[in-house]
Amino acid sequence: MRAVPQGSGALESGDVPSTPALRGWQRRALVKYLAAKPRDFLAVATPGAGKTTFALRIVAELLEEGTVDTVTIVVPTEHLKTQWAQAAAKVGIALDPKFSNSNSQTSDDYHGVVVTYAQVASHPTRHRVRTENRKTLVVFDEIHHGGDAKSWGDAIREAFDDATRRLALTGTPFRSDDSAIPFVTYEMGPDGFARSQADHTYGYSDALADGVVRPVMFMAYSGEARWRDSAGEEHAARLGEPLTVEQTARAWKTALNPTGEWMPAVIAAADTRLRGLREHVPDAGGMIIASDQTAARAYAELLRTITGEAPTVVLSDDKGSSDRIAAFAEGTSRWLVAVRMVSEGVDVPRLAVGVYATSASTPLFFAQAIGRFVRSRRPGETACIFLPSVPNLLLLASEMEAQRNHVLGKPHREELEDPLDAELAAQKRDEPGEQEKGIEYLGADAELDQVIFDGASFGTATPAGSDEEADYLGIPGLLDPESMRDLLRRRQEEQLTKRTASGQAPRMSTHGQLRELRRELNALVAAMHHRTGKPHGMIHNELRQICGGPPVAAANSDQLQARIEAVRALKVEQTR
C-alpha cells in the first residue's frame, strides 16, 4: 500500500507509510474483498479485533487504484469522528472530522470526511449530493446503528444509495428490534426467520484462539438487598437466587445504589484486582460503566474516597469528552467512570478491569461494553469484569463466544430500551420513572457469588473483604487460559477444604446447592477434558445440547443435575 498524498483524490506514487502489519483475519478478508470487488461488503469482527485497520487498508487500496475519489466514514458518536481521523492520519489518509451539515465545504487537502449517523439523518439530501458528485466509498462503522429508527434507515439509504462502494463494519451484528439494517443482506432460514449475512466473520472465539483478544474472567457478586415500597412495606431479596422479574429489578437497583454498601465493596474489590495487575502491567486501567450521570458522579466520589485518587469522568454530553478519553488512554492513571459514550468503539487498550454498574442487559450493549476490555497487548493478559449476579448478565457472561446475527420477525423479542440508542438520541436518563417514584433503597451487602471463566463457574459464596475473596482477587493477571482454569479450580478446592477443616459446612440454601452442583459438574468436565483432550467450553456446550437449558452460571439445580448424569453416562460409554 502506498502513501496517500494529501490534496489529491486517487492515490499517486509516494513513500510506503508505516502501516501496522495486518492480522490473519484482516489479510483473509482483504483478499476476499479485492478478489470479489463487491459494491457492498459486511465485515463482522469482534470488538478489539482491528476493524478500523482493515477498513483503512480498503480505503487506501481503492483510492490508489482510482476506484473511488473520496471516502465518507459514518460513525455512532462525535468522539469516534476524531478517533477515526487520527487513525487514518497514521497511515497517510487525511479525513476531516469537523465536517458539518451547515457548511458542506471541506478543504481539498482531505481525502474524505467523518460524520455521525445522526448527522446524516438530519440532512440526507446534502450527503446524497456529495456522494453523487464524486466516486465515493462509504464506510459504516457499527452499521447496526443504521437501524436505530426507521427515519435513520431511510435517511442512510437516501444519502448513500448511489455510492460507488459501501463497506459495513460491526462487532455486534444484531439488534433488539426488527428494524432492518441498511445495505445488509438478509436470508430466510429454515425456521422462517430472515437473518443478516456477513461477507466475512471473525468472532470472539476465533480472536481468542489467535491471541488477538484477552479472555475475560467475570466476578459475579450477590448479596441481600432491602428496599421499601411507596406503601411503606419493606422487602428483601438475594441477588443470585431465583426471583421474580420485579424482585430482580429492585434488588439490582438497590445493589447499584452508590449510597449503599454493595457498590463500595465491589469498587474496593475491583481496585484491589487492578492494583495487583499493575504490579506486572504498570499502566493497566479500570472503568466503571454507570447507568446515568448522577450515578457516575457518585461512583467517582466513591473511587476518590476508596483509592485516594480522583478518576477521569466522561459524561455523554460533556464538552471535552474526547480530550479526556484520549488523555486517559495515553496516560497511566487508574480509573475512568463513563456513561454510555465509552461503551462502543472507543479504543483504550490499557483497560483491564471493569465494573458493570448499569441495569442495561441487552446482548448488544453487553457485548460492546465488555469489548472495551478485551484488546490484547501482550500474551497471557486476562481482563476482569465485576458484575451483579443477575440471571441475564450471567447468561451473557457465559456465552461470550456465541455468534449472533440480526434476526427479523422473531417473536418474544426484548422490549428493553437499548442504552446505545438512548445515547444517540441524546436522551437524559437521570429522572426516575413513574414506577421508581416512592421506592426507597435501603441497602445491600455484598458477597462474591461465583467466578465465570470460559463458560464454567468456580467458587462458593464468600463475603466481600474476606480472605477467600482475596484469594480470587489475587489470581495473577498474566496467565494462559488453561493455567487460569487450573488455578481457579485449585482455589475452589482450597476454599472447600478450609471450610471442611474448620467445621464450617457450606450453606445448603438454594444458593449453596447450586454452587455444590456447579462444582461437581466442573470437576467432571475437567476430568473429561484430561481424558479426551476436548476444551472445557466444548464439553459444556455438548452437555447443553444433550440436556438443554442455559449455560452453567444460569442453570437451575435440575438442569445441573441432568448434566452431571449426562457427563457420567458419556464416561461410561467411552470406557466400553
Side-chain angles (χ1 to χ4, degrees), residues 396-454:
L396 293 171
S398 299
E399 293 186 331
M400 273 288 291
E401 299 184 24
Q403 286 292 114
R404 293 183 176 89
N405 291 311
H406 186 211
V407 184
L408 297 180
K410 193 168 184 178
H412 310 300
R413 186 177 302 281
E414 288 181 292
E415 297 292 337
L416 298 176
E417 174 191 13
D418 187 333
L420 295 177
D421 297 343
E423 173 191 359
L424 295 167
Q427 295 177 352
K428 292 185 177 180
R429 305 176 66 181
D430 292 340
E431 295 298 323
E434 289 298 322
Q435 293 183 343
E436 296 299 315
K437 292 180 179 178
I439 301 295
E440 182 182 358
Y441 297 101
L442 304 177
D445 53 25
E447 65 177 26
L448 177 59
D449 179 30
Q450 58 181 298
V451 178
I452 301 171
F453 186 78
D454 192 27

Short mmCIF file of all heavy atoms in Angstrom, two decimals, residues 396-454:
data_model
loop_
_atom_site.label_atom_id
_atom_site.label_comp_id
_atom_site.label_asym_id
_atom_site.label_seq_id
_atom_site.Cartn_x
_atom_site.Cartn_y
_atom_site.Cartn_z
N LEU A 396 -25.21 -13.91 29.63
CA LEU A 396 -24.38 -13.23 28.62
C LEU A 396 -22.89 -13.47 28.90
O LEU A 396 -22.11 -13.66 27.97
CB LEU A 396 -24.70 -11.74 28.62
CG LEU A 396 -26.10 -11.37 28.12
CD1 LEU A 396 -26.36 -9.89 28.37
CD2 LEU A 396 -26.26 -11.70 26.65
N ALA A 397 -22.50 -13.46 30.17
CA ALA A 397 -21.10 -13.70 30.52
C ALA A 397 -20.68 -15.10 30.14
O ALA A 397 -19.54 -15.33 29.71
CB ALA A 397 -20.89 -13.47 32.02
N SER A 398 -21.59 -16.06 30.27
CA SER A 398 -21.26 -17.45 29.96
C SER A 398 -21.26 -17.72 28.46
O SER A 398 -20.73 -18.75 28.02
CB SER A 398 -22.27 -18.39 30.63
OG SER A 398 -22.24 -18.25 32.03
N GLU A 399 -21.85 -16.82 27.69
CA GLU A 399 -21.94 -17.04 26.25
C GLU A 399 -21.14 -16.00 25.48
O GLU A 399 -21.50 -15.60 24.38
CB GLU A 399 -23.41 -16.98 25.81
CG GLU A 399 -24.23 -18.14 26.35
CD GLU A 399 -25.65 -18.15 25.79
OE1 GLU A 399 -26.18 -17.07 25.46
OE2 GLU A 399 -26.21 -19.26 25.67
N MET A 400 -20.01 -15.58 26.04
CA MET A 400 -19.16 -14.59 25.38
C MET A 400 -18.76 -15.01 23.98
O MET A 400 -18.58 -14.18 23.09
CB MET A 400 -17.90 -14.35 26.21
CG MET A 400 -18.05 -13.30 27.28
SD MET A 400 -18.13 -11.62 26.60
CE MET A 400 -16.44 -11.42 26.01
N GLU A 401 -18.60 -16.31 23.76
CA GLU A 401 -18.10 -16.79 22.47
C GLU A 401 -19.22 -17.07 21.47
O GLU A 401 -18.96 -17.50 20.35
CB GLU A 401 -17.26 -18.05 22.67
CG GLU A 401 -16.05 -17.82 23.55
CD GLU A 401 -15.16 -19.04 23.66
OE1 GLU A 401 -15.20 -19.87 22.75
OE2 GLU A 401 -14.42 -19.14 24.65
N ALA A 402 -20.47 -16.82 21.85
CA ALA A 402 -21.58 -17.13 20.95
C ALA A 402 -21.61 -16.15 19.78
O ALA A 402 -21.39 -14.96 19.93
CB ALA A 402 -22.90 -17.05 21.70
N GLN A 403 -21.86 -16.67 18.58
CA GLN A 403 -22.02 -15.86 17.38
C GLN A 403 -23.50 -15.53 17.23
O GLN A 403 -24.36 -16.41 17.29
CB GLN A 403 -21.54 -16.62 16.14
CG GLN A 403 -20.02 -16.72 16.04
CD GLN A 403 -19.38 -15.37 15.78
OE1 GLN A 403 -18.65 -14.86 16.61
NE2 GLN A 403 -19.66 -14.80 14.65
N ARG A 404 -23.82 -14.25 17.01
CA ARG A 404 -25.20 -13.85 16.82
C ARG A 404 -25.34 -13.08 15.51
O ARG A 404 -24.46 -12.33 15.11
CB ARG A 404 -25.67 -12.95 17.97
CG ARG A 404 -25.76 -13.63 19.32
CD ARG A 404 -26.30 -12.66 20.35
NE ARG A 404 -26.50 -13.27 21.65
CZ ARG A 404 -25.57 -13.33 22.59
NH1 ARG A 404 -24.39 -12.83 22.37
NH2 ARG A 404 -25.83 -13.91 23.75
N ASN A 405 -26.49 -13.24 14.86
CA ASN A 405 -26.85 -12.45 13.70
C ASN A 405 -28.15 -11.73 14.00
O ASN A 405 -28.88 -12.08 14.92
CB ASN A 405 -27.01 -13.33 12.46
CG ASN A 405 -25.68 -13.89 11.99
OD1 ASN A 405 -24.72 -13.16 11.85
ND2 ASN A 405 -25.63 -15.19 11.77
N HIS A 406 -28.42 -10.70 13.20
CA HIS A 406 -29.67 -9.98 13.37
C HIS A 406 -30.79 -10.79 12.74
O HIS A 406 -30.72 -11.17 11.58
CB HIS A 406 -29.58 -8.60 12.70
CG HIS A 406 -30.78 -7.73 12.95
ND1 HIS A 406 -31.23 -6.81 12.05
CD2 HIS A 406 -31.62 -7.68 14.02
CE1 HIS A 406 -32.30 -6.21 12.54
NE2 HIS A 406 -32.56 -6.72 13.74
N VAL A 407 -31.83 -11.07 13.54
CA VAL A 407 -32.96 -11.89 13.08
C VAL A 407 -34.19 -11.00 13.01
O VAL A 407 -34.54 -10.31 13.98
CB VAL A 407 -33.22 -13.07 14.04
CG1 VAL A 407 -34.33 -13.95 13.51
CG2 VAL A 407 -31.94 -13.87 14.25
N LEU A 408 -34.86 -11.02 11.86
CA LEU A 408 -36.07 -10.23 11.68
C LEU A 408 -37.30 -11.08 11.96
O LEU A 408 -37.39 -12.22 11.53
CB LEU A 408 -36.14 -9.69 10.25
CG LEU A 408 -35.03 -8.71 9.83
CD1 LEU A 408 -35.26 -8.27 8.39
CD2 LEU A 408 -34.99 -7.50 10.76
N GLY A 409 -38.26 -10.50 12.70
CA GLY A 409 -39.55 -11.15 12.89
C GLY A 409 -39.60 -12.17 13.99
O GLY A 409 -40.61 -12.85 14.16
N LYS A 410 -38.52 -12.33 14.77
CA LYS A 410 -38.52 -13.35 15.81
C LYS A 410 -39.43 -12.94 16.95
O LYS A 410 -39.35 -11.82 17.44
CB LYS A 410 -37.10 -13.57 16.33
CG LYS A 410 -36.97 -14.83 17.18
CD LYS A 410 -35.50 -15.15 17.44
CE LYS A 410 -35.37 -16.47 18.19
NZ LYS A 410 -33.97 -16.85 18.41
N PRO A 411 -40.31 -13.83 17.41
CA PRO A 411 -41.24 -13.46 18.48
C PRO A 411 -40.55 -13.35 19.83
O PRO A 411 -39.42 -13.81 20.01
CB PRO A 411 -42.24 -14.63 18.49
CG PRO A 411 -41.47 -15.79 17.96
CD PRO A 411 -40.51 -15.21 16.94
N HIS A 412 -41.26 -12.75 20.78
CA HIS A 412 -40.79 -12.62 22.17
C HIS A 412 -39.48 -11.84 22.24
O HIS A 412 -38.63 -12.10 23.08
CB HIS A 412 -40.61 -13.99 22.84
CG HIS A 412 -41.80 -14.87 22.69
ND1 HIS A 412 -43.03 -14.53 23.17
CD2 HIS A 412 -41.94 -16.07 22.09
CE1 HIS A 412 -43.90 -15.49 22.91
NE2 HIS A 412 -43.27 -16.43 22.24
N ARG A 413 -39.32 -10.90 21.34
CA ARG A 413 -38.11 -10.08 21.37
C ARG A 413 -38.15 -9.17 22.58
O ARG A 413 -39.21 -8.72 23.00
CB ARG A 413 -38.04 -9.25 20.08
CG ARG A 413 -36.74 -8.47 19.96
CD ARG A 413 -36.70 -7.72 18.64
NE ARG A 413 -36.83 -8.63 17.51
CZ ARG A 413 -35.82 -9.36 17.04
NH1 ARG A 413 -34.64 -9.27 17.61
NH2 ARG A 413 -36.00 -10.14 16.01
N GLU A 414 -36.98 -8.87 23.13
CA GLU A 414 -36.92 -8.00 24.30
C GLU A 414 -37.49 -6.62 23.97
O GLU A 414 -37.26 -6.08 22.90
CB GLU A 414 -35.47 -7.82 24.77
CG GLU A 414 -34.89 -9.06 25.42
CD GLU A 414 -33.48 -8.79 25.88
OE1 GLU A 414 -32.61 -8.62 25.04
OE2 GLU A 414 -33.27 -8.75 27.10
N GLU A 415 -38.20 -6.05 24.92
CA GLU A 415 -38.76 -4.73 24.73
C GLU A 415 -37.90 -3.67 25.40
O GLU A 415 -38.25 -2.51 25.43
CB GLU A 415 -40.17 -4.68 25.35
CG GLU A 415 -41.16 -5.64 24.69
CD GLU A 415 -41.50 -5.24 23.26
OE1 GLU A 415 -41.34 -4.04 22.94
OE2 GLU A 415 -41.92 -6.10 22.49
N LEU A 416 -36.76 -4.10 25.95
CA LEU A 416 -35.94 -3.15 26.70
C LEU A 416 -35.34 -2.10 25.78
O LEU A 416 -34.94 -2.38 24.67
CB LEU A 416 -34.80 -3.91 27.41
CG LEU A 416 -35.24 -4.94 28.43
CD1 LEU A 416 -34.02 -5.67 28.98
CD2 LEU A 416 -36.00 -4.29 29.57
N GLU A 417 -35.23 -0.88 26.30
CA GLU A 417 -34.58 0.20 25.56
C GLU A 417 -33.09 -0.10 25.49
O GLU A 417 -32.47 -0.50 26.46
CB GLU A 417 -34.81 1.52 26.29
CG GLU A 417 -34.05 2.68 25.68
CD GLU A 417 -34.08 3.89 26.57
OE1 GLU A 417 -34.46 3.75 27.74
OE2 GLU A 417 -33.69 4.96 26.10
N ASP A 418 -32.52 0.07 24.34
CA ASP A 418 -31.09 -0.12 24.17
C ASP A 418 -30.37 1.16 24.58
O ASP A 418 -30.60 2.22 24.01
CB ASP A 418 -30.80 -0.44 22.70
CG ASP A 418 -29.35 -0.83 22.45
OD1 ASP A 418 -28.50 -0.39 23.24
OD2 ASP A 418 -29.11 -1.55 21.49
N PRO A 419 -29.50 1.10 25.59
CA PRO A 419 -28.82 2.32 26.04
C PRO A 419 -28.02 3.00 24.94
O PRO A 419 -27.82 4.20 24.98
CB PRO A 419 -27.89 1.81 27.16
CG PRO A 419 -28.54 0.57 27.64
CD PRO A 419 -29.16 -0.05 26.42
N LEU A 420 -27.54 2.24 23.96
CA LEU A 420 -26.80 2.87 22.87
C LEU A 420 -27.72 3.73 22.02
O LEU A 420 -27.36 4.81 21.56
CB LEU A 420 -26.12 1.80 22.01
CG LEU A 420 -25.05 1.00 22.73
CD1 LEU A 420 -24.48 -0.07 21.81
CD2 LEU A 420 -23.93 1.90 23.20
N ASP A 421 -28.93 3.26 21.80
CA ASP A 421 -29.90 4.06 21.08
C ASP A 421 -30.21 5.32 21.88
O ASP A 421 -30.37 6.41 21.32
CB ASP A 421 -31.21 3.29 20.87
CG ASP A 421 -31.00 2.05 20.00
OD1 ASP A 421 -29.97 1.99 19.32
OD2 ASP A 421 -31.87 1.17 20.03
N ALA A 422 -30.31 5.17 23.19
CA ALA A 422 -30.59 6.32 24.03
C ALA A 422 -29.48 7.35 23.94
O ALA A 422 -29.73 8.56 23.92
CB ALA A 422 -30.76 5.88 25.49
N GLU A 423 -28.25 6.86 23.84
CA GLU A 423 -27.12 7.79 23.72
C GLU A 423 -27.22 8.58 22.44
O GLU A 423 -27.08 9.80 22.42
CB GLU A 423 -25.80 7.02 23.73
CG GLU A 423 -24.60 7.91 23.45
CD GLU A 423 -23.36 7.09 23.20
OE1 GLU A 423 -23.43 5.86 23.27
OE2 GLU A 423 -22.33 7.69 22.94
N LEU A 424 -27.50 7.89 21.36
CA LEU A 424 -27.53 8.55 20.06
C LEU A 424 -28.70 9.50 19.95
O LEU A 424 -28.67 10.46 19.20
CB LEU A 424 -27.57 7.49 18.96
CG LEU A 424 -26.32 6.63 18.91
CD1 LEU A 424 -26.54 5.41 18.04
CD2 LEU A 424 -25.15 7.44 18.37
N ALA A 425 -29.75 9.24 20.67
CA ALA A 425 -30.90 10.13 20.68
C ALA A 425 -30.74 11.24 21.71
O ALA A 425 -31.63 12.08 21.88
CB ALA A 425 -32.18 9.35 20.97
N ALA A 426 -29.61 11.22 22.42
CA ALA A 426 -29.26 12.24 23.42
C ALA A 426 -30.32 12.34 24.52
O ALA A 426 -30.69 13.41 24.97
CB ALA A 426 -29.05 13.60 22.76
N GLN A 427 -30.83 11.19 24.93
CA GLN A 427 -31.85 11.19 25.97
C GLN A 427 -31.19 11.25 27.35
O GLN A 427 -30.19 10.59 27.59
CB GLN A 427 -32.71 9.92 25.87
CG GLN A 427 -33.52 9.85 24.60
CD GLN A 427 -34.29 8.55 24.52
OE1 GLN A 427 -34.11 7.67 25.33
NE2 GLN A 427 -35.14 8.44 23.52
N LYS A 428 -31.78 11.99 28.25
CA LYS A 428 -31.29 12.05 29.62
C LYS A 428 -32.07 11.03 30.45
O LYS A 428 -33.28 10.99 30.41
CB LYS A 428 -31.48 13.44 30.20
CG LYS A 428 -30.59 14.49 29.55
CD LYS A 428 -30.72 15.81 30.24
CE LYS A 428 -29.79 16.84 29.63
NZ LYS A 428 -29.90 18.15 30.30
N ARG A 429 -31.34 10.25 31.23
CA ARG A 429 -31.98 9.17 31.98
C ARG A 429 -31.80 9.36 33.49
O ARG A 429 -31.81 8.41 34.25
CB ARG A 429 -31.42 7.83 31.53
CG ARG A 429 -31.53 7.62 30.04
CD ARG A 429 -30.88 6.35 29.60
NE ARG A 429 -31.58 5.20 30.13
CZ ARG A 429 -31.19 3.95 29.89
NH1 ARG A 429 -30.15 3.70 29.17
NH2 ARG A 429 -31.85 2.94 30.41
N ASP A 430 -31.59 10.61 33.90
CA ASP A 430 -31.37 10.87 35.32
C ASP A 430 -32.67 10.89 36.11
O ASP A 430 -32.67 10.73 37.33
CB ASP A 430 -30.65 12.21 35.51
CG ASP A 430 -29.23 12.17 35.00
OD1 ASP A 430 -28.69 11.06 34.87
OD2 ASP A 430 -28.66 13.25 34.74
N GLU A 431 -33.80 11.13 35.43
CA GLU A 431 -35.07 11.23 36.14
C GLU A 431 -35.66 9.85 36.37
O GLU A 431 -35.73 9.04 35.45
CB GLU A 431 -36.05 12.09 35.34
CG GLU A 431 -35.61 13.54 35.19
CD GLU A 431 -35.51 14.22 36.54
OE1 GLU A 431 -36.35 13.94 37.41
OE2 GLU A 431 -34.59 15.02 36.73
N PRO A 432 -36.14 9.54 37.57
CA PRO A 432 -36.73 8.22 37.82
C PRO A 432 -38.05 8.07 37.10
O PRO A 432 -38.79 9.04 36.91
CB PRO A 432 -36.94 8.22 39.35
CG PRO A 432 -37.04 9.66 39.71
CD PRO A 432 -36.14 10.39 38.77
N GLY A 433 -38.37 6.84 36.67
CA GLY A 433 -39.64 6.56 36.03
C GLY A 433 -40.75 6.55 37.07
O GLY A 433 -40.52 6.58 38.28
N GLU A 434 -41.99 6.49 36.58
CA GLU A 434 -43.13 6.52 37.48
C GLU A 434 -43.09 5.38 38.49
O GLU A 434 -43.42 5.54 39.66
CB GLU A 434 -44.42 6.46 36.66
CG GLU A 434 -44.73 7.74 35.88
CD GLU A 434 -44.93 8.94 36.80
OE1 GLU A 434 -45.53 8.77 37.87
OE2 GLU A 434 -44.47 10.03 36.43
N GLN A 435 -42.68 4.19 38.03
CA GLN A 435 -42.68 3.02 38.92
C GLN A 435 -41.60 3.14 39.99
O GLN A 435 -41.68 2.49 41.03
CB GLN A 435 -42.47 1.75 38.12
CG GLN A 435 -43.64 1.43 37.19
CD GLN A 435 -43.43 0.12 36.46
OE1 GLN A 435 -42.31 -0.39 36.39
NE2 GLN A 435 -44.49 -0.43 35.90
N GLU A 436 -40.56 3.96 39.73
CA GLU A 436 -39.48 4.08 40.70
C GLU A 436 -39.79 5.11 41.78
O GLU A 436 -39.16 5.12 42.84
CB GLU A 436 -38.18 4.47 39.98
CG GLU A 436 -37.69 3.41 39.00
CD GLU A 436 -37.39 2.10 39.70
OE1 GLU A 436 -36.75 2.12 40.77
OE2 GLU A 436 -37.81 1.05 39.20
N LYS A 437 -40.72 6.02 41.50
CA LYS A 437 -41.03 7.06 42.48
C LYS A 437 -41.63 6.42 43.73
O LYS A 437 -42.51 5.58 43.66
CB LYS A 437 -41.98 8.07 41.87
CG LYS A 437 -41.34 8.90 40.75
CD LYS A 437 -42.31 9.90 40.15
CE LYS A 437 -41.62 10.72 39.06
NZ LYS A 437 -42.54 11.67 38.41
N GLY A 438 -41.15 6.84 44.86
CA GLY A 438 -41.66 6.31 46.11
C GLY A 438 -40.92 5.10 46.62
O GLY A 438 -41.15 4.66 47.74
N ILE A 439 -40.00 4.54 45.81
CA ILE A 439 -39.20 3.40 46.25
C ILE A 439 -37.98 3.92 47.01
O ILE A 439 -37.24 4.77 46.53
CB ILE A 439 -38.75 2.54 45.06
CG1 ILE A 439 -39.96 2.02 44.28
CG2 ILE A 439 -37.89 1.39 45.54
CD1 ILE A 439 -40.83 1.07 45.05
N GLU A 440 -37.76 3.40 48.20
CA GLU A 440 -36.60 3.77 49.00
C GLU A 440 -35.66 2.57 49.06
O GLU A 440 -36.03 1.50 49.54
CB GLU A 440 -37.03 4.17 50.41
CG GLU A 440 -35.87 4.61 51.29
CD GLU A 440 -36.32 4.94 52.70
OE1 GLU A 440 -37.54 4.86 52.97
OE2 GLU A 440 -35.44 5.27 53.54
N TYR A 441 -34.45 2.76 48.56
CA TYR A 441 -33.47 1.67 48.53
C TYR A 441 -32.66 1.71 49.82
O TYR A 441 -31.91 2.64 50.08
CB TYR A 441 -32.58 1.81 47.30
CG TYR A 441 -33.38 1.69 46.02
CD1 TYR A 441 -33.74 2.84 45.30
CD2 TYR A 441 -33.82 0.46 45.57
CE1 TYR A 441 -34.51 2.74 44.15
CE2 TYR A 441 -34.59 0.35 44.41
CZ TYR A 441 -34.93 1.49 43.71
OH TYR A 441 -35.71 1.38 42.59
N LEU A 442 -32.84 0.67 50.65
CA LEU A 442 -32.28 0.67 52.00
C LEU A 442 -30.84 0.17 52.05
O LEU A 442 -30.12 0.47 53.00
CB LEU A 442 -33.17 -0.18 52.92
CG LEU A 442 -34.64 0.23 52.98
CD1 LEU A 442 -35.42 -0.72 53.86
CD2 LEU A 442 -34.76 1.67 53.48
N GLY A 443 -30.44 -0.62 51.07
CA GLY A 443 -29.04 -1.08 51.06
C GLY A 443 -28.93 -2.55 50.72
O GLY A 443 -29.92 -3.29 50.70
N ALA A 444 -27.71 -2.96 50.45
CA ALA A 444 -27.44 -4.37 50.12
C ALA A 444 -26.03 -4.71 50.55
O ALA A 444 -25.10 -3.92 50.33
CB ALA A 444 -27.60 -4.61 48.61
N ASP A 445 -25.85 -5.88 51.18
CA ASP A 445 -24.49 -6.32 51.46
C ASP A 445 -23.95 -7.03 50.22
O ASP A 445 -24.69 -7.32 49.28
CB ASP A 445 -24.45 -7.23 52.69
CG ASP A 445 -25.43 -8.39 52.59
OD1 ASP A 445 -25.78 -8.78 51.45
OD2 ASP A 445 -25.83 -8.93 53.64
N ALA A 446 -22.65 -7.27 50.20
CA ALA A 446 -22.03 -7.84 49.01
C ALA A 446 -21.25 -9.10 49.36
O ALA A 446 -20.57 -9.16 50.40
CB ALA A 446 -21.08 -6.81 48.37
N GLU A 447 -21.37 -10.10 48.50
CA GLU A 447 -20.53 -11.29 48.64
C GLU A 447 -20.19 -11.80 47.25
O GLU A 447 -20.98 -11.67 46.31
CB GLU A 447 -21.23 -12.37 49.46
CG GLU A 447 -22.47 -12.96 48.84
CD GLU A 447 -23.06 -14.10 49.68
OE1 GLU A 447 -22.83 -14.13 50.91
OE2 GLU A 447 -23.72 -14.96 49.10
N LEU A 448 -18.99 -12.34 47.11
CA LEU A 448 -18.57 -12.93 45.84
C LEU A 448 -19.37 -14.21 45.63
O LEU A 448 -19.24 -15.17 46.38
CB LEU A 448 -17.07 -13.21 45.86
CG LEU A 448 -16.50 -13.89 44.60
CD1 LEU A 448 -16.76 -13.06 43.36
CD2 LEU A 448 -14.99 -14.12 44.78
N ASP A 449 -20.19 -14.23 44.62
CA ASP A 449 -21.10 -15.34 44.36
C ASP A 449 -20.40 -16.45 43.59
O ASP A 449 -20.42 -17.61 43.97
CB ASP A 449 -22.30 -14.81 43.57
CG ASP A 449 -23.30 -15.89 43.22
OD1 ASP A 449 -23.41 -16.86 43.98
OD2 ASP A 449 -23.97 -15.77 42.17
N GLN A 450 -19.75 -16.09 42.48
CA GLN A 450 -19.07 -17.08 41.65
C GLN A 450 -18.14 -16.35 40.69
O GLN A 450 -18.27 -15.15 40.44
CB GLN A 450 -20.07 -17.91 40.86
CG GLN A 450 -21.00 -17.10 39.95
CD GLN A 450 -21.99 -17.97 39.21
OE1 GLN A 450 -21.61 -18.82 38.42
NE2 GLN A 450 -23.29 -17.75 39.46
N VAL A 451 -17.18 -17.10 40.17
CA VAL A 451 -16.28 -16.61 39.13
C VAL A 451 -16.58 -17.39 37.86
O VAL A 451 -16.62 -18.62 37.87
CB VAL A 451 -14.80 -16.80 39.54
CG1 VAL A 451 -13.87 -16.33 38.43
CG2 VAL A 451 -14.50 -16.05 40.83
N ILE A 452 -16.83 -16.67 36.76
CA ILE A 452 -17.16 -17.30 35.49
C ILE A 452 -15.98 -17.13 34.54
O ILE A 452 -15.50 -16.02 34.32
CB ILE A 452 -18.42 -16.68 34.87
CG1 ILE A 452 -19.61 -16.84 35.81
CG2 ILE A 452 -18.73 -17.32 33.52
CD1 ILE A 452 -20.84 -16.08 35.38
N PHE A 453 -15.52 -18.25 34.00
CA PHE A 453 -14.40 -18.21 33.06
C PHE A 453 -14.59 -19.33 32.04
O PHE A 453 -14.81 -20.48 32.43
CB PHE A 453 -13.06 -18.37 33.79
CG PHE A 453 -11.86 -18.20 32.89
CD1 PHE A 453 -11.43 -16.95 32.50
CD2 PHE A 453 -11.17 -19.32 32.42
CE1 PHE A 453 -10.33 -16.79 31.67
CE2 PHE A 453 -10.08 -19.18 31.58
CZ PHE A 453 -9.65 -17.91 31.20
N ASP A 454 -14.53 -18.98 30.78
CA ASP A 454 -14.64 -19.97 29.70
C ASP A 454 -15.93 -20.78 29.82
O ASP A 454 -15.95 -21.99 29.59
CB ASP A 454 -13.43 -20.90 29.71
CG ASP A 454 -13.34 -21.76 28.44
OD1 ASP A 454 -13.86 -21.32 27.40
OD2 ASP A 454 -12.78 -22.87 28.51
#
